[in-house]
Amino acid sequence: MEKACCGCHQTKERSKEEYQSLIHRLNRIEGQVRGIRGMVEKSAYCPDILVQVAAVNAALNAFNKELLANHIRTCVAKDIREGKDETIDELVRTLQKLMK
C-alpha cells in the first residue's frame, strides 16, 4: 500500500486503519480546541483553560508519536533496506524539530 513516500517524500498512501486512527485523533483534538475557544468566549477561569490546553498538547504529542512510529516502520525501514542512508539524516532532522 506504500505510494511514493520513500521516493519523493511528498505523499504516502496509508492503510485504512492507519488513516482512520489518525483522523479520529485529529477530530478529537479539533473538538478539544473548539472547547477551549468556547471557554475563552464564556470567560472561563484561566487555570481551567490552561488544563484543557495541556490536554490538547498531550493529544498532539500522542498523534505525533503514532505518526512517527508508522513512518519509521514503513518509509524509514524501506529506505534503509534499499540503502537510502539520507533517510536517516531526514529522520534525525525531524526528531530535532520535534524536540524543540
Side-chain angles (χ1 to χ4, degrees):
M1 279 206 147
E2 289 288 315
K3 176 188 168 195
C5 174
C6 305
C8 70
H9 293 281
Q10 293 184 7
T11 63
K12 177 184 179 187
E13 187 173 316
R14 292 180 170 80
S15 70
K16 182 179 179 180
E17 295 78 18
E18 179 184 359
Y19 172 82
Q20 288 176 336
S21 177
L22 292 171
I23 293 299
H24 176 74
R25 284 183 183 272
L26 289 172
N27 286 339
R28 283 185 32 217
I29 292 165
E30 185 178 19
Q32 287 176 296
V33 171
R34 281 194 308 270
I36 293 169
R37 178 182 176 154
M39 292 175 77
V40 171
E41 291 171 346
K42 294 175 184 173
S43 300
Y45 189 51
C46 295
D48 295 338
I49 296 171
L50 291 168
V51 167
Q52 293 306 309
V53 171
V56 169
N57 283 331
L60 283 169
N61 285 334
F63 176 86
N64 277 347
K65 287 177 193 176
E66 180 177 345
L67 187 61
L68 180 61
N70 289 336
H71 177 62
I72 291 169
R73 287 186 190 105
T74 57
C75 298
V76 174
K78 180 178 183 281
D79 280 2
I80 289 172
R81 283 192 294 273
E82 293 175 358
K84 298 177 184 174
D85 291 337
E86 63 273 8
T87 299
I88 296 170
D89 295 331
E90 178 190 56
L91 178 60
V92 169
R93 285 190 304 273
T94 300
L95 290 170
Q96 288 171 338
K97 289 176 185 178
L98 290 174
M99 293 178 160
K100 283 187 177 182

mmCIF file of all heavy atoms in Angstrom, residues 9-58:
data_model
loop_
_atom_site.group_PDB
_atom_site.id
_atom_site.type_symbol
_atom_site.label_atom_id
_atom_site.label_comp_id
_atom_site.label_asym_id
_atom_site.label_seq_id
_atom_site.Cartn_x
_atom_site.Cartn_y
_atom_site.Cartn_z
ATOM 1 N N HIS A 9 9.072 11.664 -1.048
ATOM 2 C CA HIS A 9 8.811 12.196 0.293
ATOM 3 C C HIS A 9 7.736 13.274 0.307
ATOM 4 O O HIS A 9 7.808 14.210 1.075
ATOM 5 C CB HIS A 9 10.098 12.715 0.931
ATOM 6 C CG HIS A 9 11.063 11.609 1.223
ATOM 7 N ND1 HIS A 9 10.945 10.798 2.306
ATOM 8 C CD2 HIS A 9 12.146 11.172 0.552
ATOM 9 C CE1 HIS A 9 11.915 9.910 2.301
ATOM 10 N NE2 HIS A 9 12.656 10.112 1.244
ATOM 11 N N GLN A 10 6.747 13.144 -0.568
ATOM 12 C CA GLN A 10 5.695 14.135 -0.591
ATOM 13 C C GLN A 10 4.322 13.544 -0.303
ATOM 14 O O GLN A 10 3.445 14.249 0.156
ATOM 15 C CB GLN A 10 5.681 14.868 -1.927
ATOM 16 C CG GLN A 10 6.918 15.714 -2.099
ATOM 17 C CD GLN A 10 6.876 16.513 -3.381
ATOM 18 O OE1 GLN A 10 5.894 16.538 -4.081
ATOM 19 N NE2 GLN A 10 7.969 17.170 -3.678
ATOM 20 N N THR A 11 4.117 12.287 -0.585
ATOM 21 C CA THR A 11 2.824 11.663 -0.323
ATOM 22 C C THR A 11 3.040 10.268 0.227
ATOM 23 O O THR A 11 4.103 9.677 0.071
ATOM 24 C CB THR A 11 1.963 11.560 -1.601
ATOM 25 O OG1 THR A 11 2.636 10.722 -2.538
ATOM 26 C CG2 THR A 11 1.683 12.914 -2.204
ATOM 27 N N LYS A 12 2.003 9.753 0.861
ATOM 28 C CA LYS A 12 2.039 8.386 1.358
ATOM 29 C C LYS A 12 0.621 7.845 1.362
ATOM 30 O O LYS A 12 -0.291 8.496 1.871
ATOM 31 C CB LYS A 12 2.601 8.317 2.772
ATOM 32 C CG LYS A 12 2.571 6.899 3.317
ATOM 33 C CD LYS A 12 3.026 6.802 4.734
ATOM 34 C CE LYS A 12 2.917 5.352 5.170
ATOM 35 N NZ LYS A 12 3.187 5.180 6.575
ATOM 36 N N GLU A 13 0.457 6.686 0.796
ATOM 37 C CA GLU A 13 -0.829 6.007 0.876
ATOM 38 C C GLU A 13 -0.849 5.208 2.164
ATOM 39 O O GLU A 13 0.011 4.358 2.390
ATOM 40 C CB GLU A 13 -1.013 5.090 -0.335
ATOM 41 C CG GLU A 13 -2.399 4.499 -0.401
ATOM 42 C CD GLU A 13 -2.609 3.724 -1.690
ATOM 43 O OE1 GLU A 13 -2.215 4.220 -2.753
ATOM 44 O OE2 GLU A 13 -3.166 2.622 -1.590
ATOM 45 N N ARG A 14 -1.822 5.506 3.025
ATOM 46 C CA ARG A 14 -1.922 4.839 4.317
ATOM 47 C C ARG A 14 -2.968 3.739 4.278
ATOM 48 O O ARG A 14 -3.923 3.821 3.506
ATOM 49 C CB ARG A 14 -2.294 5.857 5.389
ATOM 50 C CG ARG A 14 -1.195 6.848 5.642
ATOM 51 C CD ARG A 14 -1.549 7.878 6.706
ATOM 52 N NE ARG A 14 -0.349 8.627 7.028
ATOM 53 C CZ ARG A 14 0.113 9.621 6.275
ATOM 54 N NH1 ARG A 14 -0.522 9.997 5.196
ATOM 55 N NH2 ARG A 14 1.227 10.248 6.616
ATOM 56 N N SER A 15 -2.781 2.756 5.141
ATOM 57 C CA SER A 15 -3.817 1.722 5.262
ATOM 58 C C SER A 15 -5.087 2.375 5.799
ATOM 59 O O SER A 15 -5.047 3.452 6.420
ATOM 60 C CB SER A 15 -3.359 0.617 6.216
ATOM 61 O OG SER A 15 -3.327 1.112 7.548
ATOM 62 N N LYS A 16 -6.199 1.721 5.580
ATOM 63 C CA LYS A 16 -7.477 2.235 6.065
ATOM 64 C C LYS A 16 -7.436 2.409 7.580
ATOM 65 O O LYS A 16 -7.915 3.407 8.118
ATOM 66 C CB LYS A 16 -8.599 1.279 5.663
ATOM 67 C CG LYS A 16 -9.971 1.735 6.076
ATOM 68 C CD LYS A 16 -11.046 0.764 5.622
ATOM 69 C CE LYS A 16 -12.413 1.243 6.083
ATOM 70 N NZ LYS A 16 -13.479 0.317 5.668
ATOM 71 N N GLU A 17 -6.829 1.461 8.276
ATOM 72 C CA GLU A 17 -6.757 1.511 9.739
ATOM 73 C C GLU A 17 -5.909 2.684 10.214
ATOM 74 O O GLU A 17 -6.283 3.389 11.143
ATOM 75 C CB GLU A 17 -6.204 0.194 10.298
ATOM 76 C CG GLU A 17 -7.083 -1.006 10.063
ATOM 77 C CD GLU A 17 -6.999 -1.573 8.645
ATOM 78 O OE1 GLU A 17 -6.019 -1.270 7.906
ATOM 79 O OE2 GLU A 17 -7.924 -2.312 8.263
ATOM 80 N N GLU A 18 -4.744 2.872 9.583
ATOM 81 C CA GLU A 18 -3.872 3.986 9.972
ATOM 82 C C GLU A 18 -4.572 5.313 9.714
ATOM 83 O O GLU A 18 -4.573 6.203 10.562
ATOM 84 C CB GLU A 18 -2.551 3.927 9.198
ATOM 85 C CG GLU A 18 -1.603 5.064 9.542
ATOM 86 C CD GLU A 18 -0.324 5.074 8.720
ATOM 87 O OE1 GLU A 18 -0.124 4.190 7.870
ATOM 88 O OE2 GLU A 18 0.479 6.005 8.930
ATOM 89 N N TYR A 19 -5.176 5.440 8.540
ATOM 90 C CA TYR A 19 -5.886 6.670 8.182
ATOM 91 C C TYR A 19 -6.994 6.968 9.199
ATOM 92 O O TYR A 19 -7.088 8.086 9.716
ATOM 93 C CB TYR A 19 -6.472 6.526 6.770
ATOM 94 C CG TYR A 19 -7.380 7.655 6.370
ATOM 95 C CD1 TYR A 19 -6.856 8.846 5.883
ATOM 96 C CD2 TYR A 19 -8.766 7.541 6.490
ATOM 97 C CE1 TYR A 19 -7.686 9.895 5.518
ATOM 98 C CE2 TYR A 19 -9.602 8.584 6.132
ATOM 99 C CZ TYR A 19 -9.063 9.754 5.649
ATOM 100 O OH TYR A 19 -9.888 10.784 5.307
ATOM 101 N N GLN A 20 -7.804 5.966 9.489
ATOM 102 C CA GLN A 20 -8.919 6.173 10.423
ATOM 103 C C GLN A 20 -8.430 6.544 11.817
ATOM 104 O O GLN A 20 -9.016 7.410 12.478
ATOM 105 C CB GLN A 20 -9.808 4.927 10.482
ATOM 106 C CG GLN A 20 -10.637 4.740 9.239
ATOM 107 C CD GLN A 20 -11.445 3.461 9.242
ATOM 108 O OE1 GLN A 20 -11.109 2.499 9.914
ATOM 109 N NE2 GLN A 20 -12.525 3.449 8.476
ATOM 110 N N SER A 21 -7.368 5.913 12.272
ATOM 111 C CA SER A 21 -6.829 6.214 13.590
ATOM 112 C C SER A 21 -6.325 7.657 13.662
ATOM 113 O O SER A 21 -6.614 8.383 14.630
ATOM 114 C CB SER A 21 -5.697 5.245 13.924
ATOM 115 O OG SER A 21 -5.125 5.567 15.170
ATOM 116 N N LEU A 22 -5.582 8.081 12.643
ATOM 117 C CA LEU A 22 -5.050 9.442 12.634
ATOM 118 C C LEU A 22 -6.179 10.471 12.544
ATOM 119 O O LEU A 22 -6.177 11.476 13.272
ATOM 120 C CB LEU A 22 -4.060 9.622 11.478
ATOM 121 C CG LEU A 22 -2.753 8.845 11.589
ATOM 122 C CD1 LEU A 22 -1.967 8.935 10.290
ATOM 123 C CD2 LEU A 22 -1.921 9.317 12.770
ATOM 124 N N ILE A 23 -7.144 10.225 11.674
ATOM 125 C CA ILE A 23 -8.272 11.153 11.530
ATOM 126 C C ILE A 23 -9.084 11.214 12.820
ATOM 127 O O ILE A 23 -9.503 12.303 13.245
ATOM 128 C CB ILE A 23 -9.157 10.762 10.326
ATOM 129 C CG1 ILE A 23 -8.392 10.959 9.016
ATOM 130 C CG2 ILE A 23 -10.478 11.547 10.325
ATOM 131 C CD1 ILE A 23 -7.951 12.394 8.738
ATOM 132 N N HIS A 24 -9.274 10.083 13.471
ATOM 133 C CA HIS A 24 -10.013 10.063 14.743
ATOM 134 C C HIS A 24 -9.299 10.926 15.781
ATOM 135 O O HIS A 24 -9.934 11.731 16.477
ATOM 136 C CB HIS A 24 -10.154 8.623 15.244
ATOM 137 C CG HIS A 24 -10.818 8.515 16.572
ATOM 138 N ND1 HIS A 24 -12.169 8.708 16.750
ATOM 139 C CD2 HIS A 24 -10.311 8.239 17.797
ATOM 140 C CE1 HIS A 24 -12.463 8.569 18.028
ATOM 141 N NE2 HIS A 24 -11.357 8.283 18.686
ATOM 142 N N ARG A 25 -7.995 10.773 15.882
ATOM 143 C CA ARG A 25 -7.226 11.598 16.827
ATOM 144 C C ARG A 25 -7.356 13.083 16.496
ATOM 145 O O ARG A 25 -7.552 13.911 17.382
ATOM 146 C CB ARG A 25 -5.752 11.205 16.818
ATOM 147 C CG ARG A 25 -5.431 9.923 17.554
ATOM 148 C CD ARG A 25 -3.926 9.685 17.543
ATOM 149 N NE ARG A 25 -3.576 8.445 18.162
ATOM 150 C CZ ARG A 25 -3.351 8.300 19.470
ATOM 151 N NH1 ARG A 25 -3.464 9.330 20.277
ATOM 152 N NH2 ARG A 25 -3.007 7.127 19.964
ATOM 153 N N LEU A 26 -7.236 13.414 15.216
ATOM 154 C CA LEU A 26 -7.325 14.821 14.814
ATOM 155 C C LEU A 26 -8.722 15.395 15.075
ATOM 156 O O LEU A 26 -8.849 16.553 15.499
ATOM 157 C CB LEU A 26 -6.958 14.982 13.333
ATOM 158 C CG LEU A 26 -5.480 14.784 13.019
ATOM 159 C CD1 LEU A 26 -5.258 14.762 11.512
ATOM 160 C CD2 LEU A 26 -4.629 15.859 13.681
ATOM 161 N N ASN A 27 -9.743 14.603 14.844
ATOM 162 C CA ASN A 27 -11.108 15.069 15.133
ATOM 163 C C ASN A 27 -11.289 15.360 16.619
ATOM 164 O O ASN A 27 -11.920 16.350 16.992
ATOM 165 C CB ASN A 27 -12.143 14.051 14.658
ATOM 166 C CG ASN A 27 -12.291 14.033 13.151
ATOM 167 O OD1 ASN A 27 -11.946 14.987 12.472
ATOM 168 N ND2 ASN A 27 -12.800 12.927 12.628
ATOM 169 N N ARG A 28 -10.742 14.494 17.462
ATOM 170 C CA ARG A 28 -10.830 14.723 18.912
ATOM 171 C C ARG A 28 -10.074 15.989 19.307
ATOM 172 O O ARG A 28 -10.559 16.783 20.106
ATOM 173 C CB ARG A 28 -10.284 13.509 19.671
ATOM 174 C CG ARG A 28 -11.270 12.358 19.683
ATOM 175 C CD ARG A 28 -10.840 11.161 20.509
ATOM 176 N NE ARG A 28 -10.036 11.477 21.661
ATOM 177 C CZ ARG A 28 -9.025 10.726 22.085
ATOM 178 N NH1 ARG A 28 -8.695 9.625 21.464
ATOM 179 N NH2 ARG A 28 -8.340 11.077 23.158
ATOM 180 N N ILE A 29 -8.888 16.168 18.734
ATOM 181 C CA ILE A 29 -8.093 17.367 19.037
ATOM 182 C C ILE A 29 -8.837 18.616 18.581
ATOM 183 O O ILE A 29 -8.908 19.613 19.314
ATOM 184 C CB ILE A 29 -6.701 17.266 18.381
ATOM 185 C CG1 ILE A 29 -5.881 16.156 19.046
ATOM 186 C CG2 ILE A 29 -5.969 18.606 18.435
ATOM 187 C CD1 ILE A 29 -4.644 15.737 18.264
ATOM 188 N N GLU A 30 -9.412 18.553 17.399
ATOM 189 C CA GLU A 30 -10.180 19.688 16.877
ATOM 190 C C GLU A 30 -11.341 20.026 17.820
ATOM 191 O O GLU A 30 -11.590 21.198 18.113
ATOM 192 C CB GLU A 30 -10.708 19.349 15.485
ATOM 193 C CG GLU A 30 -11.414 20.484 14.800
ATOM 194 C CD GLU A 30 -11.884 20.105 13.402
ATOM 195 O OE1 GLU A 30 -11.992 18.904 13.089
ATOM 196 O OE2 GLU A 30 -12.155 21.038 12.626
ATOM 197 N N GLY A 31 -12.014 19.015 18.324
ATOM 198 C CA GLY A 31 -13.099 19.240 19.275
ATOM 199 C C GLY A 31 -12.601 19.858 20.570
ATOM 200 O O GLY A 31 -13.255 20.740 21.148
ATOM 201 N N GLN A 32 -11.437 19.399 21.033
ATOM 202 C CA GLN A 32 -10.860 19.970 22.253
ATOM 203 C C GLN A 32 -10.528 21.448 22.050
ATOM 204 O O GLN A 32 -10.781 22.271 22.933
ATOM 205 C CB GLN A 32 -9.593 19.202 22.647
ATOM 206 C CG GLN A 32 -9.850 17.823 23.210
ATOM 207 C CD GLN A 32 -8.538 17.100 23.479
ATOM 208 O OE1 GLN A 32 -7.775 16.815 22.566
ATOM 209 N NE2 GLN A 32 -8.289 16.814 24.743
ATOM 210 N N VAL A 33 -9.969 21.785 20.893
ATOM 211 C CA VAL A 33 -9.609 23.180 20.616
ATOM 212 C C VAL A 33 -10.878 24.038 20.547
ATOM 213 O O VAL A 33 -10.912 25.154 21.088
ATOM 214 C CB VAL A 33 -8.763 23.301 19.330
ATOM 215 C CG1 VAL A 33 -8.576 24.749 18.923
ATOM 216 C CG2 VAL A 33 -7.414 22.614 19.533
ATOM 217 N N ARG A 34 -11.921 23.521 19.923
ATOM 218 C CA ARG A 34 -13.195 24.264 19.890
ATOM 219 C C ARG A 34 -13.735 24.458 21.305
ATOM 220 O O ARG A 34 -14.282 25.513 21.630
ATOM 221 C CB ARG A 34 -14.226 23.540 19.018
ATOM 222 C CG ARG A 34 -14.012 23.766 17.533
ATOM 223 C CD ARG A 34 -15.226 23.324 16.715
ATOM 224 N NE ARG A 34 -15.654 21.970 17.002
ATOM 225 C CZ ARG A 34 -15.231 20.880 16.376
ATOM 226 N NH1 ARG A 34 -14.376 20.981 15.383
ATOM 227 N NH2 ARG A 34 -15.679 19.685 16.712
ATOM 228 N N GLY A 35 -13.551 23.458 22.142
ATOM 229 C CA GLY A 35 -13.978 23.586 23.536
ATOM 230 C C GLY A 35 -13.222 24.683 24.264
ATOM 231 O O GLY A 35 -13.796 25.445 25.050
ATOM 232 N N ILE A 36 -11.934 24.775 24.008
ATOM 233 C CA ILE A 36 -11.124 25.842 24.620
ATOM 234 C C ILE A 36 -11.603 27.202 24.139
ATOM 235 O O ILE A 36 -11.741 28.141 24.939
ATOM 236 C CB ILE A 36 -9.626 25.636 24.313
ATOM 237 C CG1 ILE A 36 -9.109 24.383 25.021
ATOM 238 C CG2 ILE A 36 -8.817 26.859 24.727
ATOM 239 C CD1 ILE A 36 -7.734 23.945 24.570
ATOM 240 N N ARG A 37 -11.875 27.300 22.857
ATOM 241 C CA ARG A 37 -12.390 28.566 22.329
ATOM 242 C C ARG A 37 -13.690 28.949 23.034
ATOM 243 O O ARG A 37 -13.887 30.104 23.414
ATOM 244 C CB ARG A 37 -12.621 28.459 20.825
ATOM 245 C CG ARG A 37 -13.188 29.728 20.240
ATOM 246 C CD ARG A 37 -13.453 29.605 18.770
ATOM 247 N NE ARG A 37 -14.067 30.817 18.294
ATOM 248 C CZ ARG A 37 -13.992 31.245 17.061
ATOM 249 N NH1 ARG A 37 -13.337 30.555 16.161
ATOM 250 N NH2 ARG A 37 -14.594 32.356 16.714
ATOM 251 N N GLY A 38 -14.552 27.970 23.232
ATOM 252 C CA GLY A 38 -15.801 28.218 23.944
ATOM 253 C C GLY A 38 -15.558 28.683 25.370
ATOM 254 O O GLY A 38 -16.274 29.561 25.879
ATOM 255 N N MET A 39 -14.565 28.093 26.004
ATOM 256 C CA MET A 39 -14.229 28.504 27.370
ATOM 257 C C MET A 39 -13.784 29.961 27.397
ATOM 258 O O MET A 39 -14.174 30.721 28.287
ATOM 259 C CB MET A 39 -13.140 27.597 27.951
ATOM 260 C CG MET A 39 -13.582 26.167 28.202
ATOM 261 S SD MET A 39 -12.214 25.120 28.754
ATOM 262 C CE MET A 39 -12.093 25.636 30.464
ATOM 263 N N VAL A 40 -12.957 30.354 26.425
ATOM 264 C CA VAL A 40 -12.489 31.738 26.357
ATOM 265 C C VAL A 40 -13.671 32.664 26.099
ATOM 266 O O VAL A 40 -13.806 33.717 26.744
ATOM 267 C CB VAL A 40 -11.398 31.902 25.270
ATOM 268 C CG1 VAL A 40 -11.068 33.372 25.040
ATOM 269 C CG2 VAL A 40 -10.135 31.123 25.667
ATOM 270 N N GLU A 41 -14.531 32.276 25.164
ATOM 271 C CA GLU A 41 -15.697 33.099 24.842
ATOM 272 C C GLU A 41 -16.625 33.278 26.048
ATOM 273 O O GLU A 41 -17.271 34.311 26.189
ATOM 274 C CB GLU A 41 -16.470 32.488 23.669
ATOM 275 C CG GLU A 41 -15.723 32.572 22.359
ATOM 276 C CD GLU A 41 -16.360 31.787 21.226
ATOM 277 O OE1 GLU A 41 -17.251 30.944 21.484
ATOM 278 O OE2 GLU A 41 -15.961 32.016 20.080
ATOM 279 N N LYS A 42 -16.654 32.274 26.928
ATOM 280 C CA LYS A 42 -17.513 32.341 28.120
ATOM 281 C C LYS A 42 -16.764 32.850 29.347
ATOM 282 O O LYS A 42 -17.252 32.743 30.469
ATOM 283 C CB LYS A 42 -18.101 30.960 28.406
ATOM 284 C CG LYS A 42 -19.056 30.490 27.327
ATOM 285 C CD LYS A 42 -19.522 29.078 27.579
ATOM 286 C CE LYS A 42 -20.394 28.612 26.418
ATOM 287 N NZ LYS A 42 -20.736 27.191 26.531
ATOM 288 N N SER A 43 -15.562 33.372 29.116
ATOM 289 C CA SER A 43 -14.738 33.940 30.180
ATOM 290 C C SER A 43 -14.474 32.946 31.311
ATOM 291 O O SER A 43 -14.539 33.281 32.492
ATOM 292 C CB SER A 43 -15.383 35.216 30.738
ATOM 293 O OG SER A 43 -15.516 36.185 29.722
ATOM 294 N N ALA A 44 -14.119 31.714 30.925
ATOM 295 C CA ALA A 44 -13.810 30.690 31.928
ATOM 296 C C ALA A 44 -12.566 31.086 32.717
ATOM 297 O O ALA A 44 -11.743 31.900 32.280
ATOM 298 C CB ALA A 44 -13.590 29.344 31.239
ATOM 299 N N TYR A 45 -12.428 30.495 33.874
ATOM 300 C CA TYR A 45 -11.311 30.735 34.773
ATOM 301 C C TYR A 45 -10.011 30.260 34.108
ATOM 302 O O TYR A 45 -9.948 29.162 33.542
ATOM 303 C CB TYR A 45 -11.564 29.989 36.073
ATOM 304 C CG TYR A 45 -10.627 30.292 37.204
ATOM 305 C CD1 TYR A 45 -10.350 31.591 37.609
ATOM 306 C CD2 TYR A 45 -10.026 29.252 37.915
ATOM 307 C CE1 TYR A 45 -9.497 31.853 38.661
ATOM 308 C CE2 TYR A 45 -9.182 29.499 38.986
ATOM 309 C CZ TYR A 45 -8.922 30.805 39.351
ATOM 310 O OH TYR A 45 -8.081 31.053 40.411
ATOM 311 N N CYS A 46 -8.967 31.106 34.139
ATOM 312 C CA CYS A 46 -7.705 30.838 33.439
ATOM 313 C C CYS A 46 -7.126 29.443 33.723
ATOM 314 O O CYS A 46 -6.755 28.729 32.778
ATOM 315 C CB CYS A 46 -6.672 31.914 33.754
ATOM 316 S SG CYS A 46 -7.130 33.546 33.135
ATOM 317 N N PRO A 47 -7.005 29.017 34.986
ATOM 318 C CA PRO A 47 -6.441 27.688 35.227
ATOM 319 C C PRO A 47 -7.250 26.566 34.572
ATOM 320 O O PRO A 47 -6.673 25.567 34.126
ATOM 321 C CB PRO A 47 -6.453 27.558 36.752
ATOM 322 C CG PRO A 47 -6.351 28.972 37.230
ATOM 323 C CD PRO A 47 -7.171 29.760 36.247
ATOM 324 N N ASP A 48 -8.559 26.728 34.463
ATOM 325 C CA ASP A 48 -9.380 25.711 33.801
ATOM 326 C C ASP A 48 -9.046 25.627 32.311
ATOM 327 O O ASP A 48 -8.953 24.537 31.739
ATOM 328 C CB ASP A 48 -10.871 26.013 33.987
ATOM 329 C CG ASP A 48 -11.313 25.917 35.439
ATOM 330 O OD1 ASP A 48 -10.633 25.232 36.231
ATOM 331 O OD2 ASP A 48 -12.347 26.535 35.767
ATOM 332 N N ILE A 49 -8.829 26.788 31.704
ATOM 333 C CA ILE A 49 -8.452 26.815 30.290
ATOM 334 C C ILE A 49 -7.066 26.196 30.112
ATOM 335 O O ILE A 49 -6.842 25.394 29.199
ATOM 336 C CB ILE A 49 -8.482 28.258 29.742
ATOM 337 C CG1 ILE A 49 -9.904 28.818 29.792
ATOM 338 C CG2 ILE A 49 -7.926 28.301 28.312
ATOM 339 C CD1 ILE A 49 -9.991 30.309 29.477
ATOM 340 N N LEU A 50 -6.150 26.558 30.987
ATOM 341 C CA LEU A 50 -4.789 26.031 30.888
ATOM 342 C C LEU A 50 -4.750 24.506 30.993
ATOM 343 O O LEU A 50 -3.967 23.847 30.287
ATOM 344 C CB LEU A 50 -3.897 26.668 31.950
ATOM 345 C CG LEU A 50 -3.613 28.154 31.731
ATOM 346 C CD1 LEU A 50 -2.981 28.760 32.981
ATOM 347 C CD2 LEU A 50 -2.733 28.362 30.514
ATOM 348 N N VAL A 51 -5.577 23.944 31.837
ATOM 349 C CA VAL A 51 -5.646 22.484 31.960
ATOM 350 C C VAL A 51 -6.110 21.865 30.639
ATOM 351 O O VAL A 51 -5.571 20.837 30.193
ATOM 352 C CB VAL A 51 -6.571 22.082 33.130
ATOM 353 C CG1 VAL A 51 -6.907 20.601 33.083
ATOM 354 C CG2 VAL A 51 -5.913 22.435 34.461
ATOM 355 N N GLN A 52 -7.077 22.502 30.005
ATOM 356 C CA GLN A 52 -7.559 21.991 28.721
ATOM 357 C C GLN A 52 -6.508 22.143 27.622
ATOM 358 O O GLN A 52 -6.370 21.279 26.757
ATOM 359 C CB GLN A 52 -8.863 22.681 28.321
ATOM 360 C CG GLN A 52 -10.020 22.336 29.226
ATOM 361 C CD GLN A 52 -10.218 20.830 29.355
ATOM 362 O OE1 GLN A 52 -10.283 20.124 28.349
ATOM 363 N NE2 GLN A 52 -10.292 20.346 30.583
ATOM 364 N N VAL A 53 -5.748 23.229 27.663
ATOM 365 C CA VAL A 53 -4.661 23.414 26.697
ATOM 366 C C VAL A 53 -3.610 22.318 26.889
ATOM 367 O O VAL A 53 -3.088 21.760 25.912
ATOM 368 C CB VAL A 53 -4.040 24.821 26.812
ATOM 369 C CG1 VAL A 53 -2.767 24.925 25.971
ATOM 370 C CG2 VAL A 53 -5.043 25.884 26.380
ATOM 371 N N ALA A 54 -3.312 21.990 28.126
ATOM 372 C CA ALA A 54 -2.356 20.919 28.398
ATOM 373 C C ALA A 54 -2.864 19.587 27.837
ATOM 374 O O ALA A 54 -2.082 18.787 27.309
ATOM 375 C CB ALA A 54 -2.090 20.809 29.895
ATOM 376 N N ALA A 55 -4.162 19.362 27.918
ATOM 377 C CA ALA A 55 -4.749 18.136 27.373
ATOM 378 C C ALA A 55 -4.595 18.097 25.851
ATOM 379 O O ALA A 55 -4.308 17.036 25.270
ATOM 380 C CB ALA A 55 -6.214 18.026 27.772
ATOM 381 N N VAL A 56 -4.769 19.240 25.200
ATOM 382 C CA VAL A 56 -4.591 19.300 23.746
ATOM 383 C C VAL A 56 -3.138 19.036 23.390
ATOM 384 O O VAL A 56 -2.838 18.299 22.441
ATOM 385 C CB VAL A 56 -5.065 20.659 23.181
ATOM 386 C CG1 VAL A 56 -4.637 20.823 21.727
ATOM 387 C CG2 VAL A 56 -6.568 20.789 23.307
ATOM 388 N N ASN A 57 -2.214 19.626 24.143
ATOM 389 C CA ASN A 57 -0.789 19.372 23.892
ATOM 390 C C ASN A 57 -0.469 17.889 24.021
ATOM 391 O O ASN A 57 0.265 17.329 23.195
ATOM 392 C CB ASN A 57 0.080 20.189 24.845
ATOM 393 C CG ASN A 57 0.165 21.642 24.446
ATOM 394 O OD1 ASN A 57 0.059 21.982 23.279
ATOM 395 N ND2 ASN A 57 0.349 22.514 25.425
ATOM 396 N N ALA A 58 -1.027 17.234 25.037
ATOM 397 C CA ALA A 58 -0.793 15.803 25.222
ATOM 398 C C ALA A 58 -1.386 15.007 24.054
ATOM 399 O O ALA A 58 -0.769 14.047 23.570
ATOM 400 C CB ALA A 58 -1.399 15.339 26.550
#
